[in-house]
């Protein structure tokens, strides 16, 4: 349940009482987690399973019309899912019992559109049952995704559907034991089969489902559940505004109970929000949520997964990682390998906590050191904590390792049962007799992990520089993660600034700008580098301890795009096409038909001898297969410089490079003729030119 704490209590609880050392326990500071939210937060990491008729039609969103007979995962084995999840260190599994197509993975009494009319196990199977049993066997918790939107149901959009929806909820929440989380997706209403009507139905997702009463029913049936709801009524957990696998570095577990929740709030929470609504980071191990054989080569790499790991529960979130179960009904071998590699890397990274039970001192302690002393933060018990007097909102804690110690990770946890408090902190190491800042951060919350280059220091100082109220720190961890020696990613933004991103944020990087081989004697990368015009960047990740380096990463950048302007498109997100960041993309408006153009004014005439196109990454939408490339000197007369296809772009949606006879041009136009899905979408992560 969302805890609303009245403002008056908040003010009193966070009030500073100064002048004497306190002996009593600190009061609450703002909203606090419910017991269910607390149990959920401690799970940290759990799985999503997406499986439906979509798996057999290669779709992400089924229309609700497919014959249930096509559903036949002949080797389906929920014990395999549970084993993989358990070995990966996950604590539970959330299953798409019903996705938007309306097809049910359990034999619901209330519809014919379910496993009971599929070919699988002659219509006698029940996947929710199988998974509930497997979870029990492997000591995992079970969660349910029940799509509020149902594109099969003839009554969707009428009040009758709400009865149907609640009946299904009742089946799922009474027949399968404890359910730890229920997931209501925000996609609601639109086109669909709707029992043959084949029309578009719009609903108001805030009122249509009468969430208040639906929640009542859920809590009655499953008192220990947490509710995730994107849109509609605020639930116990919140979406983070992206499916990319990260939450904001500043991440408050608070929101307001009412009012709009724009992206910024989803991503960072609300510092003075009136309700405890922590962040759940949901992302898929592949670009899609459902299985597509053509994504077998696009399973996230170890660096990607580690990045997701540190950017989710390393930032006060929980991680919900999806496996698109394949047509056999199994987690694909490649996905299994990837997630187990992550588990191994995490185990190695956090093998030894150098802070545990070490000598510690604090600049301030609340009353009795035995109860609130600094040692409570390193005693290995998350229920005890270091606390300061109420008046203190800035304080430091020093850990003496007893000998020079090498480390590159810092972990901190607040005792959130009494509220989230810390606003800013820094970490320093005592190196060669003086304090050197290693890293800093803003919020901590349930858990925060900072990454920095390995350093050898005899002592570490953790300083909270700002807090909403006296800080309460329940745990501190200091670790030395083995370096990940994988070639870094190099990107350049529109203004010419080069960013070199290693898999492991704490890595040491050396680089060159002239195409020469980088070694440890080259320039050390300390932050973004300003460049202009053509540069050939090469970079390595280097481990000063083992003296080993990664393979060399290289990226050639052509003319500066500083003065480039995209013409004729009002959407300001269109600049993503030339922002240099492959992770951001822009899509032509939905009602635009192919062919669709994107026109760029380069600001001055260049000798253009080719172009480069990168489709939107992490999405199967709008991948252009056939194109024409036009050039113009005056934006009036255009001539075609090249045309053709981007071969195999569906299976390999990477940079497409096309070269042609040099031609003078100030204006360029990429015309999208067709895409991989034979519809009218066109998307672009990046567009660039090659010049002579
Ligand atoms: C989205 C849905 O529309 C996707 O299909 C998927 O289920 C994902 C987890 O949530 O918004």
């Amino acid at each position: 349940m969302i805890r609303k704490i009245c403002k008056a209590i908040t003010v009193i609880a966070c009030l500073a009482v100064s002048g004497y050392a306190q002996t009593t326990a600190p009061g609450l500071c703002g909203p606090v987690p419910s017991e269910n939210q607390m149990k959920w937060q401690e799970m940290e990491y759990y799985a999503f399973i997406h499986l439906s008729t979509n798996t057999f039609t290669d779709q992400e969103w089924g229309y609700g019309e497919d014959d249930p007979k096509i559903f036949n995962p002949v080797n389906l084995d929920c014990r395999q899912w549970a084993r993989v999840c358990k070995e990966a260190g996950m604590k539970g599994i959330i299953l798409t019992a019903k996705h938007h197509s309306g097809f049910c993975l359990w034999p619901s009494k209330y519809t014919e559109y379910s496993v009971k009319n599929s070919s699988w196990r002659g219509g006698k199977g029940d996947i929710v049952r199988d998974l509930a049993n497997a979870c029990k066997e492997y000591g995992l918790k079970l969660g349910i995704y029940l799509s509020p939107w149902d594109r099969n149901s003839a009554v969707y959009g009428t009040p009758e559907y709400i009865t149907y929806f609640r009946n299904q909820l009742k089946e799922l929440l009474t027949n399968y034991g404890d359910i730890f989380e229920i997931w209501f997706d925000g996609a609601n209403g639109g086109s669909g089969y709707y029992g043959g009507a084949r029309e578009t139905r719009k609903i108001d997702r805030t009122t249509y489902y009468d969430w208040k009463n639906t929640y009542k029913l859920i809590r009655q049936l499953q008192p220990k559940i947490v509710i995730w709801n994107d849109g509609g009524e605020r639930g116990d957990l919140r979406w983070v505004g992206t499916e990319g696998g990260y939450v904001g570095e500043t991440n408050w577990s608070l929101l307001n109970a009412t009012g709009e929740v724009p992206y910024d709030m989803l991503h960072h929470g609300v510092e003075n929000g009136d309700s405890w609504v922590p962040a759940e980071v949901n992302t898929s191990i592949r670009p899609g949520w459902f299985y597509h054989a053509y994504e077998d080569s696009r399973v996230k790499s170890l660096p990607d997964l580690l990045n997701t790991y540190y950017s989710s529960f390393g930032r006060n979130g929980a991680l919900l990682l999806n496996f698109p179960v394949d047509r056999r009904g199994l987690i694909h071998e490649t996905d299994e390998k990837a997630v187990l590699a992550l588990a191994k890397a995490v185990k190695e990274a956090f093998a030894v906590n150098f802070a545990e039970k070490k000598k510690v001192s604090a600049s301030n302690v609340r009353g009795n050191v035995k109860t609130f002393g600094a040692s409570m933060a390193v005693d290995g018990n998350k229920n005890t904590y270091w606390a300061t007097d109420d008046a203190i909102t800035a304080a430091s804690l020093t850990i003496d390792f007893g000998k020079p110690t090498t480390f590159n990770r810092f972990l901190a946890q607040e005792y959130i049962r009494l509220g989230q408090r810390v606003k800013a902190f820094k970490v320093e190491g005592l190196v060669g007799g003086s304090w050197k800042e290693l890293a800093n951060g803003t919020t901590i919350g349930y858990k925060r992990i900072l990454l920095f280059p390995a350093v050898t220091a005899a002592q570490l100082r953790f300083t909270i520089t700002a807090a909403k109220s006296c800080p309460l720190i329940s745990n501190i961890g200091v670790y030395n993660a083995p370096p990940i020696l994988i070639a870094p990613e190099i990107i350049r933004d529109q203004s010419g600034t080069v960013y070199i991103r290693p898999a492991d944020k704490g890595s040491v990087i050396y680089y060159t700008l002239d195409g020469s081989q980088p070694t440890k004697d080259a320039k050390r990368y300390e932050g973004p580098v300003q460049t202009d015009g053509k540069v050939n960047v090469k970079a390595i990740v280097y481990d000063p301890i083992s003296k080993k380096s990664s393979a060399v990463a290289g990226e050639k950048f052509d003319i500066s795009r500083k003065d480039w302007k995209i013409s004729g498109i009002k959407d300001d997100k269109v600049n993503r096409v030339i922002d240099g960041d492959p992770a951001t993309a822009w899509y032509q408006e939905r009602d635009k038909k192919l062919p669709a153009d994107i026109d760029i004014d380069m600001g001055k005439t260049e000798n253009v001898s080719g172009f480069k196109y990168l489709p939107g990454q992490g999405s199967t939408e709008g991948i252009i297969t056939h194109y024409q490339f036009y050039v113009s000197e005056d934006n009036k007369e255009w001539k075609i410089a090249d045309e053709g296809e981007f071969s195999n772009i569906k299976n390999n949606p990477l940079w497409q490079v096309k070269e042609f006879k040099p031609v003078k041009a100030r204006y360029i136009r990429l015309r999208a003729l067709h895409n991989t899905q034979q519809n009218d979408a066109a998307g672009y992560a990046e567009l660039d030119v090659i010049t002579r």
Side-chain angles (χ1 to χ4, degrees):
M1 192 182 70
I2 295 173
R3 287 279 172 97
K4 283 192 211 163
I5 304 296
C6 87
K7 274 226 167 80
I9 297 178
T10 309
V11 171
I12 294 165
C14 295
L15 252 189
V17 182
S18 56
Y20 58 93
Q22 276 141 344
T23 49
T24 53
L28 306 182
C29 178
V32 296
S34 67
E35 202 46 44
N36 293 2
Q37 286 170 319
M38 204 56 225
K39 290 241 160 64
W40 162 84
Q41 187 93 60
E42 285 169 351
M43 287 176 69
E44 297 192 348
Y45 181 30
Y46 42 95
F48 230 164
I49 297 278
H50 273 64
L51 171 67
S52 185
T53 42
N54 301 359
T55 312
F56 297 86
T57 57
D58 245 341
Q59 282 172 310
E60 279 291 303
W61 283 10
Y63 191 70
E65 64 181 346
D66 299 303
D67 186 341
K69 285 272 172 297
I70 60 167
F71 185 84
N72 194 13
V74 275
N75 303 116
L76 183 126
D77 181 4
C78 293
R79 295 182 69 245
Q80 185 249 5
W81 310 353
R83 176 186 57 75
V84 172
C85 294
K86 186 75 186 186
E87 286 176 11
M90 295 168 158
K91 299 289 175 349
I93 302 179
I94 301 181
L95 173 68
T96 52
K98 177 176 92 168
H99 200 256
H100 312 330
S101 73
F103 181 78
C104 301
L105 299 187
W106 80 105
S108 172
K109 264 203 321 229
Y110 303 98
T111 179
E112 293 307 303
Y113 204 48
S114 82
V115 280
K116 74 184 175 205
N117 285 314
S118 73
S119 315
W120 178 64
R121 291 190 189 161
K124 299 275 177 295
D126 179 346
I127 300 178
V128 182
R129 170 80 54 226
D130 277 24
L131 185 58
N133 291 340
C135 281
K136 214 174 194 176
E137 181 183 338
Y138 282 87
L140 297 167
K141 294 186 180 183
L142 176 66
I144 295 288
Y145 173 121
L146 183 72
S147 170
W149 184 22
D150 187 322
R151 303 174 93 185
N152 175 265
S153 168
V155 295
Y156 184 77
T158 70
E160 212 182 319
Y161 176 75
I162 305 308
T163 310
Y164 171 69
F165 181 59
R166 288 192 183 145
N167 281 336
Q168 293 201 318
L169 262 176
K170 274 186 221 152
E171 286 185 315
L172 290 166
L173 301 184
T174 38
N175 297 335
Y176 300 97
D178 284 349
I179 304 296
F180 83 94
E181 178 170 340
I182 184 98
W183 223 86
F184 297 126
D185 191 63
N188 273 300
S191 63
Y193 175 70
Y194 303 129
R198 295 181 183 279
E199 57 190 12
T200 297
R201 295 187 181 170
K202 289 211 171 95
I203 53 101
D204 177 346
R205 61 183 186 159
T206 58
T207 53
Y208 178 56
Y209 300 98
D210 178 19
W211 285 119
K212 272 209 168 63
N213 285 310
T214 304
Y215 283 11
K216 232 186 240 161
L217 173 76
I218 294 169
R219 295 195 199 284
Q220 244 164 35
L221 298 174
Q222 291 281 343
K224 289 187 265 175
I225 206 164
V226 284
I227 300 173
W228 188 97
N229 196 345
D230 165 36
E233 183 86 5
R234 205 82 77 242
D236 299 314
L237 312 176
R238 73 171 204 269
W239 185 41
V240 294
T242 169
E243 291 173 350
Y246 55 95
V247 62
E249 290 194 39
T250 297
N251 177 17
W252 293 98
S253 290
L254 305 175
L255 277 188
N256 288 321
T258 53
E260 281 297 298
V261 192
Y263 172 80
D264 235 40
M265 289 187 184
L266 288 170
H267 209 55
H268 299 289
V270 175
E271 183 175 331
N272 291 311
D274 61 15
S275 307
W276 187 270
V277 193
E280 179 188 78
V281 178
N282 67 307
T283 192
S284 185
I285 196 160
R286 291 167 176 240
W289 292 98
F290 284 93
Y291 180 79
H292 311 289
Y294 57 80
E295 288 181 358
D296 283 354
S297 60
R298 298 187 64 198
V299 176
K300 284 189 178 144
S301 62
L302 178 61
D304 284 342
L305 287 171
L306 269 171
N307 201 12
T308 301
Y309 178 95
Y310 286 117
S311 310
S312 53
F313 61 88
R315 294 185 185 170
N316 187 32
L319 175 57
L320 171 54
L321 182 66
N322 179 62
F323 297 109
V325 160
D326 66 18
R327 289 188 180 175
R328 296 169 302 173
L330 299 174
I331 292 179
H332 193 275
E333 296 75 349
T334 314
D335 306 31
E336 172 177 352
K337 217 169 128 199
V339 82
L340 296 185
L342 171 68
K344 184 166 171 273
V346 168
K347 203 167 161 202
E348 284 170 4
F350 297 96
V352 184
N353 178 1
F354 298 113
E356 196 166 314
K357 309 246 159 70
K358 287 284 150 48
K359 214 167 100 194
V360 281
S361 58
S363 62
N364 177 279
V365 170
R366 180 186 193 93
N368 190 341
V369 283
K370 285 216 177 97
T371 318
F372 297 119
S375 62
M376 299 296 130
V378 293
D379 64 356
N381 178 353
K382 62 178 191 281
N383 297 318
T384 61
Y385 52 91
W386 161 51
T388 66
D389 288 323
D390 281 339
I392 304 295
T393 52
S396 66
L397 180 150
T398 307
I399 302 168
D400 187 349
F401 300 118
K403 57 171 193 252
T405 300
T406 303
F407 53 91
N408 57 8
R409 299 283 183 273
F410 176 80
L411 179 153
Q413 295 188 267
E414 284 187 76
Y415 186 74
I416 57 168
R417 283 178 185 276
L418 297 178
Q420 187 183 350
R421 299 155 182 248
V422 176
K423 295 208 279 194
F425 68 100
K426 65 178 178 185
V427 180
E428 296 158 296
L430 190 62
V431 185
S434 55
W435 288 107
K436 177 181 169 211
E437 181 165 331
L438 306 175
N440 58 59
T442 51
T443 51
I444 293 179
Y446 171 70
K447 189 178 273 184
R448 183 73 201 269
I449 306 172
L450 295 185
L451 289 69
F452 43 88
V455 67
T456 303
Q459 293 185 27
L460 177 147
R461 187 161 70 189
F462 162 52
T463 305
I464 293 159
T465 49
K468 283 165 86 173
S469 182
C470 61
L472 315 177
I473 303 299
S474 65
N475 184 31
I476 287 176
V478 177
Y479 305 90
N480 191 29
I484 299 171
L485 296 176
I486 291 180
E489 179 191 33
I490 303 167
I491 64 166
R492 180 167 83 162
D493 71 11
Q494 203 193 339
S495 71
T497 310
V498 169
Y499 300 81
I500 307 179
R501 297 176 179 161
D504 179 339
K505 282 216 185 96
S507 303
V508 177
I509 298 169
Y510 293 98
Y511 72 99
T512 60
L513 294 177
D514 58 3
S516 61
Q517 203 69 3
T519 63
K520 70 164 188 25
D521 300 318
K523 244 197 164 127
R524 183 164 167 172
Y525 179 75
E526 307 281 2
V529 183
Q530 194 56 44
T531 67
D532 198 23
K534 295 192 180 192
V535 277
N536 186 356
V537 186
K538 293 216 161 129
I540 49 163
V541 166
Y542 180 75
D543 173 27
I545 310 235
S546 67
K547 302 200 170 16
K548 285 190 183 144
S549 51
S550 72
V552 179
E555 210 61 69
K556 277 189 188 158
F557 298 101
D558 212 282
I559 52 168
S560 160
R561 294 192 287 179
K562 234 182 354 226
D563 301 322
W564 284 27
K565 286 201 176 58
I566 299 176
S567 31
I569 292 166
K570 289 218 172 58
D571 184 358
D572 52 2
K573 292 203 189 89
V574 72
N575 231 50
R576 292 178 181 175
V577 178
I578 51 172
D579 68 358
D581 187 351
T584 63
W586 178 79
Y587 293 85
Q588 296 274 1
E589 320 224 296
R590 281 202 175 263
D591 51 3
K592 187 114 185 191
K593 297 262 173 277
L594 293 189
D597 290 347
I598 189 145
D599 284 10
I600 296 174
D601 174 3
M602 299 190 290
K604 62 176 197 284
T605 302
E606 302 282 358
N607 224 358
V608 180
S609 60
F611 77 96
K612 297 192 335 182
Y613 161 66
L614 181 71
Q617 303 292 289
S619 164
T620 49
E621 290 282 301
I623 301 179
I624 304 167
T625 52
H626 294 79
Y627 69 92
Q628 286 174 330
F629 191 79
Y630 291 84
V631 291
S632 167
E633 283 194 77
D634 56 6
N635 201 15
K636 286 189 196 100
E637 261 183 62
W638 289 84
K639 58 180 180 221
I640 203 160
D642 190 32
E643 63 184 322
E645 72 167 11
F646 300 124
S647 314
N648 200 28
I649 193 170
K650 180 170 178 184
N651 293 340
N652 215 5
L654 303 176
W655 275 108
Q656 307 293 311
V657 182
K658 296 288 177 184
E659 297 199 54
F660 44 78
K661 226 168 77 220
V663 51
K664 286 217 169 343
R666 171 174 163 173
Y667 302 88
I668 56 167
R669 167 180 297 161
L670 176 65
R671 175 165 292 175
L673 301 175
H674 303 291
N675 67 20
T676 53
Q677 295 175 322
Q678 274 84 49
N679 59 25
D680 284 300
Y684 321 75
E686 284 298 307
L687 192 57
D688 206 348
V689 290
I690 302 168
T691 64
R692 276 276 160 83

